[in-house]
Amino acid sequence: MTVMGVSKFERFFRAAAGLDVDKNDLKRYGDFVDAKLYDLLVVGQASAKANGRDTVEPWDLPITKGLQESIHRFRRLDEEVDLKPIVEQLAAHPPLDRTPTQETEERYPEIIGGLSVALAETFKIMYPDIKNPQTSHWDGVTAVFDRLL
């Protein structure tokens, strides 16, 4: 990620939850985004298969009410921070048995943005006094997402 990307990443987490993250947190963040997008796609693939389709449609992805609200908050924050171009770079995924449609793939940046907002807010819920997340904080927050998504 470019230096400009790192500063936007830092600004985003500050705006979303008052957190001070740095370039050292980028790998954890990238790993989190990759894993959660893949998890959503695996469930979407199962839904497409159960419905006899060869493609994953947007409605196949298990977007919960909470994630949808986080996507809306991301849209508002993105106007301030302009993170969407960086999030688009993170929207790659490994091959699946069912191919996501173009419409599904076009939603990845906002889904990743919503996951990012939810991630930042979860840090503050679990660790209200935290300013700079450490490894143990990342482990705790990602464990929650692993159980819920």
Side-chain angles (χ1 to χ4, degrees), residues 16-77:
L19 295 172
D20 292 326
V21 295
D22 56 35
K23 64 182 180 183
N24 296 325
D25 291 311
L26 276 175
K27 174 152 180 29
R28 291 182 190 124
Y29 171 71
D31 291 346
F32 169 82
V33 167
D34 287 344
K36 294 304 112 197
L37 180 60
Y38 184 73
D39 290 348
L40 291 171
L41 288 169
V42 167
V43 174
Q45 176 179 265
S47 176
K49 183 178 181 179
N51 288 295
R53 284 183 278 102
D54 291 333
T55 59
V56 178
E57 298 291 342
W59 55 83
D60 290 320
L61 301 178
I63 305 298
T64 63
K65 177 183 176 275
L67 181 52
Q68 186 63 48
E69 290 170 355
S70 293
I71 290 169
H72 292 304
R73 286 193 296 280
F74 168 73
R75 289 178 185 144
R76 288 191 298 275
L77 279 171

Short mmCIF file of all heavy atoms in Angstrom, two decimals, residues 16-77:
data_model
loop_
_atom_site.label_atom_id
_atom_site.label_comp_id
_atom_site.label_asym_id
_atom_site.label_seq_id
_atom_site.Cartn_x
_atom_site.Cartn_y
_atom_site.Cartn_z
N ALA A 16 -13.44 6.45 12.28
CA ALA A 16 -14.43 5.41 12.57
C ALA A 16 -14.55 5.12 14.06
O ALA A 16 -15.65 4.86 14.55
CB ALA A 16 -14.10 4.13 11.82
N ALA A 17 -13.42 5.15 14.79
CA ALA A 17 -13.49 4.73 16.19
C ALA A 17 -12.45 5.39 17.09
O ALA A 17 -12.24 4.94 18.21
CB ALA A 17 -13.33 3.21 16.28
N GLY A 18 -11.80 6.44 16.62
CA GLY A 18 -10.81 7.11 17.45
C GLY A 18 -9.58 6.27 17.74
O GLY A 18 -8.93 6.44 18.77
N LEU A 19 -9.25 5.35 16.82
CA LEU A 19 -8.10 4.47 17.00
C LEU A 19 -6.88 4.98 16.25
O LEU A 19 -7.01 5.52 15.15
CB LEU A 19 -8.42 3.06 16.49
CG LEU A 19 -9.52 2.31 17.22
CD1 LEU A 19 -9.84 1.02 16.48
CD2 LEU A 19 -9.11 2.02 18.65
N ASP A 20 -5.72 4.80 16.86
CA ASP A 20 -4.46 5.14 16.21
C ASP A 20 -3.83 3.84 15.72
O ASP A 20 -3.26 3.08 16.51
CB ASP A 20 -3.51 5.85 17.18
CG ASP A 20 -4.02 7.22 17.56
OD1 ASP A 20 -4.63 7.89 16.72
OD2 ASP A 20 -3.81 7.62 18.73
N VAL A 21 -3.97 3.57 14.43
CA VAL A 21 -3.32 2.41 13.82
C VAL A 21 -2.17 2.92 12.99
O VAL A 21 -2.11 4.09 12.64
CB VAL A 21 -4.31 1.58 12.96
CG1 VAL A 21 -5.40 0.96 13.82
CG2 VAL A 21 -4.92 2.43 11.86
N ASP A 22 -1.25 2.04 12.68
CA ASP A 22 -0.12 2.44 11.86
C ASP A 22 0.15 1.38 10.80
O ASP A 22 -0.58 0.40 10.69
CB ASP A 22 1.12 2.69 12.73
CG ASP A 22 1.49 1.50 13.59
OD1 ASP A 22 1.32 0.35 13.13
OD2 ASP A 22 1.97 1.71 14.72
N LYS A 23 1.21 1.60 10.04
CA LYS A 23 1.48 0.68 8.93
C LYS A 23 1.73 -0.75 9.41
O LYS A 23 1.52 -1.69 8.66
CB LYS A 23 2.63 1.18 8.07
CG LYS A 23 3.95 1.25 8.78
CD LYS A 23 5.01 1.80 7.88
CE LYS A 23 6.33 1.85 8.63
NZ LYS A 23 7.37 2.44 7.82
N ASN A 24 2.14 -0.92 10.67
CA ASN A 24 2.32 -2.27 11.20
C ASN A 24 1.01 -3.03 11.35
O ASN A 24 0.98 -4.25 11.38
CB ASN A 24 3.05 -2.22 12.55
CG ASN A 24 4.45 -1.66 12.41
OD1 ASN A 24 5.12 -1.90 11.41
ND2 ASN A 24 4.89 -0.90 13.39
N ASP A 25 -0.09 -2.29 11.46
CA ASP A 25 -1.41 -2.91 11.57
C ASP A 25 -1.98 -3.30 10.20
O ASP A 25 -2.97 -4.02 10.13
CB ASP A 25 -2.40 -1.96 12.26
CG ASP A 25 -2.06 -1.76 13.72
OD1 ASP A 25 -1.85 -2.77 14.41
OD2 ASP A 25 -2.02 -0.60 14.17
N LEU A 26 -1.37 -2.83 9.14
CA LEU A 26 -1.89 -3.09 7.79
C LEU A 26 -1.96 -4.58 7.47
O LEU A 26 -2.93 -5.03 6.85
CB LEU A 26 -1.05 -2.39 6.73
CG LEU A 26 -1.40 -0.94 6.48
CD1 LEU A 26 -0.41 -0.34 5.48
CD2 LEU A 26 -2.81 -0.79 5.98
N LYS A 27 -0.97 -5.34 7.84
CA LYS A 27 -0.99 -6.78 7.54
C LYS A 27 -2.14 -7.46 8.26
O LYS A 27 -2.88 -8.25 7.66
CB LYS A 27 0.33 -7.45 7.92
CG LYS A 27 0.25 -8.97 7.74
CD LYS A 27 1.54 -9.61 7.43
CE LYS A 27 1.50 -11.10 7.24
NZ LYS A 27 0.32 -11.72 6.75
N ARG A 28 -2.32 -7.14 9.53
CA ARG A 28 -3.44 -7.73 10.27
C ARG A 28 -4.77 -7.34 9.63
O ARG A 28 -5.67 -8.17 9.49
CB ARG A 28 -3.41 -7.25 11.72
CG ARG A 28 -2.27 -7.80 12.52
CD ARG A 28 -2.38 -7.30 13.97
NE ARG A 28 -1.18 -7.61 14.69
CZ ARG A 28 -0.43 -6.70 15.31
NH1 ARG A 28 -0.78 -5.45 15.33
NH2 ARG A 28 0.64 -7.08 15.96
N TYR A 29 -4.88 -6.09 9.27
CA TYR A 29 -6.10 -5.59 8.63
C TYR A 29 -6.32 -6.31 7.29
O TYR A 29 -7.42 -6.78 7.01
CB TYR A 29 -6.00 -4.08 8.42
CG TYR A 29 -7.11 -3.52 7.58
CD1 TYR A 29 -8.42 -3.45 8.07
CD2 TYR A 29 -6.87 -3.05 6.29
CE1 TYR A 29 -9.45 -2.94 7.29
CE2 TYR A 29 -7.88 -2.53 5.53
CZ TYR A 29 -9.16 -2.48 6.02
OH TYR A 29 -10.17 -1.97 5.24
N GLY A 30 -5.28 -6.41 6.48
CA GLY A 30 -5.40 -7.09 5.19
C GLY A 30 -5.79 -8.56 5.36
O GLY A 30 -6.64 -9.07 4.63
N ASP A 31 -5.19 -9.22 6.33
CA ASP A 31 -5.53 -10.62 6.60
C ASP A 31 -6.99 -10.74 7.05
O ASP A 31 -7.70 -11.66 6.62
CB ASP A 31 -4.62 -11.21 7.69
CG ASP A 31 -3.18 -11.38 7.23
OD1 ASP A 31 -2.92 -11.31 6.01
OD2 ASP A 31 -2.31 -11.59 8.11
N PHE A 32 -7.43 -9.83 7.90
CA PHE A 32 -8.81 -9.83 8.37
C PHE A 32 -9.78 -9.66 7.20
O PHE A 32 -10.73 -10.44 7.04
CB PHE A 32 -9.02 -8.69 9.39
CG PHE A 32 -10.47 -8.45 9.73
CD1 PHE A 32 -11.10 -9.24 10.67
CD2 PHE A 32 -11.18 -7.45 9.10
CE1 PHE A 32 -12.43 -9.03 10.98
CE2 PHE A 32 -12.52 -7.23 9.41
CZ PHE A 32 -13.14 -8.03 10.35
N VAL A 33 -9.53 -8.67 6.36
CA VAL A 33 -10.41 -8.40 5.21
C VAL A 33 -10.45 -9.59 4.26
O VAL A 33 -11.52 -10.02 3.82
CB VAL A 33 -9.95 -7.12 4.48
CG1 VAL A 33 -10.62 -6.97 3.13
CG2 VAL A 33 -10.24 -5.90 5.34
N ASP A 34 -9.29 -10.14 3.95
CA ASP A 34 -9.24 -11.31 3.07
C ASP A 34 -10.05 -12.47 3.63
O ASP A 34 -10.85 -13.09 2.92
CB ASP A 34 -7.79 -11.79 2.87
CG ASP A 34 -6.97 -10.90 1.99
OD1 ASP A 34 -7.54 -10.05 1.27
OD2 ASP A 34 -5.72 -11.04 2.02
N ALA A 35 -9.87 -12.75 4.90
CA ALA A 35 -10.54 -13.89 5.52
C ALA A 35 -12.05 -13.69 5.57
O ALA A 35 -12.82 -14.61 5.27
CB ALA A 35 -9.99 -14.12 6.93
N LYS A 36 -12.50 -12.52 5.95
CA LYS A 36 -13.94 -12.29 6.10
C LYS A 36 -14.64 -12.22 4.74
O LYS A 36 -15.75 -12.74 4.60
CB LYS A 36 -14.22 -11.03 6.92
CG LYS A 36 -13.76 -11.13 8.36
CD LYS A 36 -14.37 -12.33 9.10
CE LYS A 36 -13.35 -13.36 9.43
NZ LYS A 36 -13.83 -14.67 9.76
N LEU A 37 -14.01 -11.60 3.74
CA LEU A 37 -14.62 -11.60 2.41
C LEU A 37 -14.72 -13.02 1.89
O LEU A 37 -15.76 -13.43 1.35
CB LEU A 37 -13.83 -10.72 1.44
CG LEU A 37 -14.40 -10.65 0.02
CD1 LEU A 37 -15.81 -10.07 0.01
CD2 LEU A 37 -13.48 -9.83 -0.88
N TYR A 38 -13.68 -13.80 2.09
CA TYR A 38 -13.70 -15.19 1.65
C TYR A 38 -14.80 -15.97 2.38
O TYR A 38 -15.54 -16.74 1.76
CB TYR A 38 -12.34 -15.85 1.87
CG TYR A 38 -12.28 -17.26 1.35
CD1 TYR A 38 -12.22 -17.50 -0.02
CD2 TYR A 38 -12.32 -18.34 2.21
CE1 TYR A 38 -12.19 -18.80 -0.51
CE2 TYR A 38 -12.28 -19.64 1.72
CZ TYR A 38 -12.23 -19.86 0.36
OH TYR A 38 -12.20 -21.15 -0.13
N ASP A 39 -14.95 -15.75 3.69
CA ASP A 39 -16.00 -16.43 4.45
C ASP A 39 -17.38 -16.10 3.88
O ASP A 39 -18.24 -16.98 3.72
CB ASP A 39 -15.95 -16.04 5.92
CG ASP A 39 -14.75 -16.60 6.65
OD1 ASP A 39 -14.05 -17.49 6.11
OD2 ASP A 39 -14.49 -16.14 7.79
N LEU A 40 -17.61 -14.83 3.58
CA LEU A 40 -18.90 -14.43 3.00
C LEU A 40 -19.12 -15.09 1.64
O LEU A 40 -20.23 -15.53 1.33
CB LEU A 40 -18.97 -12.90 2.86
CG LEU A 40 -19.04 -12.11 4.16
CD1 LEU A 40 -18.87 -10.62 3.88
CD2 LEU A 40 -20.33 -12.38 4.91
N LEU A 41 -18.06 -15.18 0.84
CA LEU A 41 -18.17 -15.79 -0.48
C LEU A 41 -18.42 -17.29 -0.40
O LEU A 41 -19.16 -17.85 -1.21
CB LEU A 41 -16.92 -15.50 -1.30
CG LEU A 41 -16.79 -14.06 -1.78
CD1 LEU A 41 -15.39 -13.81 -2.34
CD2 LEU A 41 -17.85 -13.73 -2.81
N VAL A 42 -17.81 -17.96 0.58
CA VAL A 42 -18.03 -19.40 0.74
C VAL A 42 -19.50 -19.67 1.06
O VAL A 42 -20.11 -20.58 0.49
CB VAL A 42 -17.10 -19.97 1.83
CG1 VAL A 42 -17.53 -21.37 2.25
CG2 VAL A 42 -15.66 -20.00 1.33
N VAL A 43 -20.07 -18.87 1.94
CA VAL A 43 -21.49 -19.05 2.27
C VAL A 43 -22.35 -18.68 1.07
O VAL A 43 -23.34 -19.36 0.76
CB VAL A 43 -21.88 -18.22 3.51
CG1 VAL A 43 -23.38 -18.27 3.76
CG2 VAL A 43 -21.11 -18.72 4.73
N GLY A 44 -21.97 -17.61 0.35
CA GLY A 44 -22.70 -17.23 -0.85
C GLY A 44 -22.65 -18.31 -1.91
O GLY A 44 -23.64 -18.58 -2.61
N GLN A 45 -21.51 -18.94 -2.04
CA GLN A 45 -21.35 -20.05 -2.99
C GLN A 45 -22.28 -21.21 -2.63
O GLN A 45 -22.92 -21.81 -3.49
CB GLN A 45 -19.89 -20.50 -2.97
CG GLN A 45 -19.59 -21.68 -3.82
CD GLN A 45 -18.11 -22.02 -3.75
OE1 GLN A 45 -17.36 -21.58 -4.60
NE2 GLN A 45 -17.71 -22.78 -2.76
N ALA A 46 -22.37 -21.52 -1.35
CA ALA A 46 -23.27 -22.59 -0.90
C ALA A 46 -24.72 -22.25 -1.20
O ALA A 46 -25.50 -23.12 -1.62
CB ALA A 46 -23.08 -22.85 0.59
N SER A 47 -25.07 -20.99 -1.03
CA SER A 47 -26.44 -20.55 -1.34
C SER A 47 -26.72 -20.68 -2.83
O SER A 47 -27.79 -21.16 -3.24
CB SER A 47 -26.63 -19.11 -0.88
OG SER A 47 -27.90 -18.63 -1.24
N ALA A 48 -25.77 -20.26 -3.66
CA ALA A 48 -25.94 -20.37 -5.11
C ALA A 48 -26.10 -21.83 -5.51
O ALA A 48 -26.97 -22.19 -6.32
CB ALA A 48 -24.76 -19.73 -5.83
N LYS A 49 -25.26 -22.69 -4.95
CA LYS A 49 -25.32 -24.12 -5.27
C LYS A 49 -26.67 -24.70 -4.84
O LYS A 49 -27.29 -25.46 -5.59
CB LYS A 49 -24.18 -24.85 -4.57
CG LYS A 49 -24.12 -26.33 -4.89
CD LYS A 49 -22.93 -26.98 -4.20
CE LYS A 49 -22.86 -28.46 -4.56
NZ LYS A 49 -21.70 -29.10 -3.94
N ALA A 50 -27.13 -24.35 -3.65
CA ALA A 50 -28.42 -24.86 -3.15
C ALA A 50 -29.58 -24.41 -4.03
O ALA A 50 -30.60 -25.09 -4.11
CB ALA A 50 -28.64 -24.40 -1.71
N ASN A 51 -29.41 -23.27 -4.69
CA ASN A 51 -30.46 -22.75 -5.57
C ASN A 51 -30.22 -23.11 -7.03
O ASN A 51 -30.88 -22.56 -7.93
CB ASN A 51 -30.58 -21.23 -5.39
CG ASN A 51 -31.22 -20.88 -4.08
OD1 ASN A 51 -32.38 -21.19 -3.84
ND2 ASN A 51 -30.46 -20.25 -3.19
N GLY A 52 -29.27 -24.02 -7.29
CA GLY A 52 -29.04 -24.53 -8.63
C GLY A 52 -28.43 -23.55 -9.61
O GLY A 52 -28.62 -23.68 -10.82
N ARG A 53 -27.67 -22.59 -9.09
CA ARG A 53 -27.03 -21.61 -9.97
C ARG A 53 -25.53 -21.80 -10.00
O ARG A 53 -24.94 -22.24 -9.02
CB ARG A 53 -27.34 -20.18 -9.49
CG ARG A 53 -28.75 -19.75 -9.85
CD ARG A 53 -29.05 -18.31 -9.44
NE ARG A 53 -29.41 -18.28 -8.02
CZ ARG A 53 -28.61 -17.89 -7.03
NH1 ARG A 53 -27.41 -17.43 -7.28
NH2 ARG A 53 -29.01 -17.93 -5.79
N ASP A 54 -24.92 -21.44 -11.13
CA ASP A 54 -23.47 -21.53 -11.28
C ASP A 54 -22.77 -20.23 -10.89
O ASP A 54 -21.54 -20.16 -10.89
CB ASP A 54 -23.10 -21.85 -12.74
CG ASP A 54 -23.50 -23.26 -13.12
OD1 ASP A 54 -23.57 -24.13 -12.23
OD2 ASP A 54 -23.76 -23.49 -14.32
N THR A 55 -23.54 -19.20 -10.59
CA THR A 55 -22.96 -17.90 -10.23
C THR A 55 -23.46 -17.47 -8.86
O THR A 55 -24.55 -17.82 -8.42
CB THR A 55 -23.34 -16.81 -11.25
OG1 THR A 55 -24.77 -16.70 -11.31
CG2 THR A 55 -22.78 -17.11 -12.63
N VAL A 56 -22.61 -16.69 -8.18
CA VAL A 56 -22.96 -16.12 -6.88
C VAL A 56 -23.51 -14.73 -7.11
O VAL A 56 -22.83 -13.85 -7.63
CB VAL A 56 -21.73 -16.06 -5.95
CG1 VAL A 56 -22.08 -15.43 -4.62
CG2 VAL A 56 -21.12 -17.44 -5.75
N GLU A 57 -24.76 -14.56 -6.74
CA GLU A 57 -25.43 -13.26 -6.88
C GLU A 57 -25.28 -12.48 -5.57
O GLU A 57 -25.03 -13.06 -4.52
CB GLU A 57 -26.92 -13.48 -7.19
CG GLU A 57 -27.18 -14.21 -8.49
CD GLU A 57 -26.84 -13.39 -9.73
OE1 GLU A 57 -26.72 -12.15 -9.65
OE2 GLU A 57 -26.69 -14.00 -10.80
N PRO A 58 -25.47 -11.16 -5.64
CA PRO A 58 -25.34 -10.35 -4.41
C PRO A 58 -26.22 -10.85 -3.26
O PRO A 58 -25.80 -10.83 -2.10
CB PRO A 58 -25.75 -8.95 -4.86
CG PRO A 58 -25.47 -8.92 -6.31
CD PRO A 58 -25.73 -10.32 -6.80
N TRP A 59 -27.40 -11.30 -3.57
CA TRP A 59 -28.32 -11.75 -2.52
C TRP A 59 -27.91 -13.08 -1.91
O TRP A 59 -28.46 -13.49 -0.89
CB TRP A 59 -29.76 -11.81 -3.03
CG TRP A 59 -29.95 -12.65 -4.25
CD1 TRP A 59 -30.11 -14.00 -4.29
CD2 TRP A 59 -29.97 -12.21 -5.60
NE1 TRP A 59 -30.23 -14.43 -5.59
CE2 TRP A 59 -30.16 -13.34 -6.42
CE3 TRP A 59 -29.86 -10.96 -6.21
CZ2 TRP A 59 -30.23 -13.27 -7.80
CZ3 TRP A 59 -29.94 -10.89 -7.60
CH2 TRP A 59 -30.11 -12.04 -8.37
N ASP A 60 -26.92 -13.75 -2.50
CA ASP A 60 -26.40 -14.99 -1.91
C ASP A 60 -25.48 -14.71 -0.72
O ASP A 60 -25.29 -15.59 0.12
CB ASP A 60 -25.63 -15.80 -2.96
CG ASP A 60 -26.52 -16.39 -4.02
OD1 ASP A 60 -27.63 -16.86 -3.68
OD2 ASP A 60 -26.11 -16.38 -5.20
N LEU A 61 -24.90 -13.53 -0.69
CA LEU A 61 -23.96 -13.21 0.39
C LEU A 61 -24.73 -12.96 1.68
O LEU A 61 -25.74 -12.25 1.68
CB LEU A 61 -23.13 -11.97 0.02
CG LEU A 61 -22.31 -12.09 -1.27
CD1 LEU A 61 -21.59 -10.78 -1.55
CD2 LEU A 61 -21.33 -13.24 -1.19
N PRO A 62 -24.27 -13.51 2.79
CA PRO A 62 -24.98 -13.37 4.06
C PRO A 62 -24.72 -12.01 4.73
O PRO A 62 -24.03 -11.91 5.74
CB PRO A 62 -24.43 -14.52 4.90
CG PRO A 62 -23.03 -14.68 4.40
CD PRO A 62 -23.10 -14.38 2.93
N ILE A 63 -25.29 -10.97 4.14
CA ILE A 63 -25.12 -9.62 4.68
C ILE A 63 -26.18 -9.42 5.77
O ILE A 63 -27.37 -9.33 5.49
CB ILE A 63 -25.28 -8.54 3.58
CG1 ILE A 63 -24.31 -8.81 2.42
CG2 ILE A 63 -25.09 -7.14 4.17
CD1 ILE A 63 -22.85 -8.76 2.78
N THR A 64 -25.73 -9.37 7.01
CA THR A 64 -26.65 -9.21 8.14
C THR A 64 -27.08 -7.76 8.27
O THR A 64 -26.50 -6.86 7.65
CB THR A 64 -25.95 -9.63 9.44
OG1 THR A 64 -24.84 -8.74 9.66
CG2 THR A 64 -25.47 -11.07 9.39
N LYS A 65 -28.08 -7.53 9.09
CA LYS A 65 -28.55 -6.18 9.36
C LYS A 65 -27.40 -5.32 9.90
O LYS A 65 -27.21 -4.18 9.48
CB LYS A 65 -29.71 -6.21 10.34
CG LYS A 65 -30.22 -4.84 10.75
CD LYS A 65 -31.34 -4.99 11.78
CE LYS A 65 -31.81 -3.66 12.29
NZ LYS A 65 -31.00 -3.14 13.39
N GLY A 66 -26.64 -5.88 10.84
CA GLY A 66 -25.52 -5.13 11.42
C GLY A 66 -24.46 -4.79 10.40
O GLY A 66 -23.94 -3.66 10.38
N LEU A 67 -24.13 -5.72 9.53
CA LEU A 67 -23.14 -5.44 8.48
C LEU A 67 -23.69 -4.41 7.50
O LEU A 67 -22.97 -3.51 7.07
CB LEU A 67 -22.72 -6.72 7.75
CG LEU A 67 -21.68 -6.56 6.65
CD1 LEU A 67 -20.44 -5.81 7.13
CD2 LEU A 67 -21.29 -7.93 6.09
N GLN A 68 -24.98 -4.50 7.16
CA GLN A 68 -25.59 -3.51 6.26
C GLN A 68 -25.51 -2.11 6.88
O GLN A 68 -25.19 -1.15 6.18
CB GLN A 68 -27.05 -3.88 5.97
CG GLN A 68 -27.69 -2.99 4.93
CD GLN A 68 -27.02 -3.09 3.57
OE1 GLN A 68 -26.77 -4.17 3.08
NE2 GLN A 68 -26.71 -1.96 2.98
N GLU A 69 -25.76 -2.00 8.17
CA GLU A 69 -25.65 -0.70 8.84
C GLU A 69 -24.21 -0.20 8.82
O GLU A 69 -23.96 1.00 8.63
CB GLU A 69 -26.17 -0.80 10.27
CG GLU A 69 -27.68 -0.99 10.32
CD GLU A 69 -28.20 -1.32 11.72
OE1 GLU A 69 -27.38 -1.52 12.65
OE2 GLU A 69 -29.43 -1.40 11.86
N SER A 70 -23.25 -1.10 8.98
CA SER A 70 -21.84 -0.72 8.90
C SER A 70 -21.47 -0.26 7.50
O SER A 70 -20.66 0.65 7.33
CB SER A 70 -20.94 -1.89 9.33
OG SER A 70 -21.11 -2.16 10.69
N ILE A 71 -22.06 -0.88 6.48
CA ILE A 71 -21.83 -0.44 5.09
C ILE A 71 -22.34 0.98 4.91
O ILE A 71 -21.67 1.82 4.29
CB ILE A 71 -22.49 -1.43 4.10
CG1 ILE A 71 -21.73 -2.76 4.10
CG2 ILE A 71 -22.56 -0.82 2.69
CD1 ILE A 71 -22.44 -3.89 3.35
N HIS A 72 -23.50 1.28 5.48
CA HIS A 72 -24.04 2.65 5.39
C HIS A 72 -23.11 3.64 6.10
O HIS A 72 -22.86 4.74 5.59
CB HIS A 72 -25.45 2.73 5.96
CG HIS A 72 -26.47 2.00 5.16
ND1 HIS A 72 -26.70 2.24 3.82
CD2 HIS A 72 -27.34 1.02 5.50
CE1 HIS A 72 -27.65 1.45 3.37
NE2 HIS A 72 -28.05 0.68 4.37
N ARG A 73 -22.60 3.26 7.27
CA ARG A 73 -21.67 4.14 7.99
C ARG A 73 -20.38 4.31 7.19
O ARG A 73 -19.79 5.40 7.15
CB ARG A 73 -21.38 3.61 9.39
CG ARG A 73 -22.55 3.83 10.35
CD ARG A 73 -22.18 3.59 11.81
NE ARG A 73 -21.80 2.23 12.12
CZ ARG A 73 -22.64 1.22 12.33
NH1 ARG A 73 -23.94 1.40 12.25
NH2 ARG A 73 -22.18 0.02 12.64
N PHE A 74 -19.93 3.24 6.51
CA PHE A 74 -18.73 3.35 5.68
C PHE A 74 -18.96 4.37 4.56
O PHE A 74 -18.08 5.18 4.28
CB PHE A 74 -18.37 2.00 5.05
CG PHE A 74 -17.33 2.11 3.98
CD1 PHE A 74 -16.01 2.38 4.30
CD2 PHE A 74 -17.67 1.98 2.64
CE1 PHE A 74 -15.04 2.50 3.32
CE2 PHE A 74 -16.71 2.09 1.65
CZ PHE A 74 -15.39 2.36 1.99
N ARG A 75 -20.12 4.33 3.93
CA ARG A 75 -20.40 5.29 2.86
C ARG A 75 -20.27 6.72 3.35
O ARG A 75 -19.71 7.58 2.66
CB ARG A 75 -21.80 5.06 2.29
CG ARG A 75 -21.92 3.79 1.48
CD ARG A 75 -23.34 3.59 1.00
NE ARG A 75 -23.48 2.32 0.32
CZ ARG A 75 -24.56 1.56 0.37
NH1 ARG A 75 -25.62 1.96 1.07
NH2 ARG A 75 -24.60 0.41 -0.27
N ARG A 76 -20.79 6.99 4.55
CA ARG A 76 -20.68 8.35 5.11
C ARG A 76 -19.23 8.69 5.43
O ARG A 76 -18.76 9.79 5.14
CB ARG A 76 -21.56 8.49 6.34
CG ARG A 76 -23.05 8.53 6.02
CD ARG A 76 -23.89 8.94 7.21
NE ARG A 76 -23.80 8.03 8.34
CZ ARG A 76 -24.52 6.93 8.50
NH1 ARG A 76 -25.40 6.57 7.59
NH2 ARG A 76 -24.37 6.17 9.57
N LEU A 77 -18.49 7.75 6.03
CA LEU A 77 -17.08 7.99 6.35
C LEU A 77 -16.24 8.12 5.09
O LEU A 77 -15.29 8.90 5.06
CB LEU A 77 -16.53 6.84 7.19
CG LEU A 77 -16.83 6.86 8.67
CD1 LEU A 77 -16.39 5.54 9.30
CD2 LEU A 77 -16.13 8.02 9.35
#
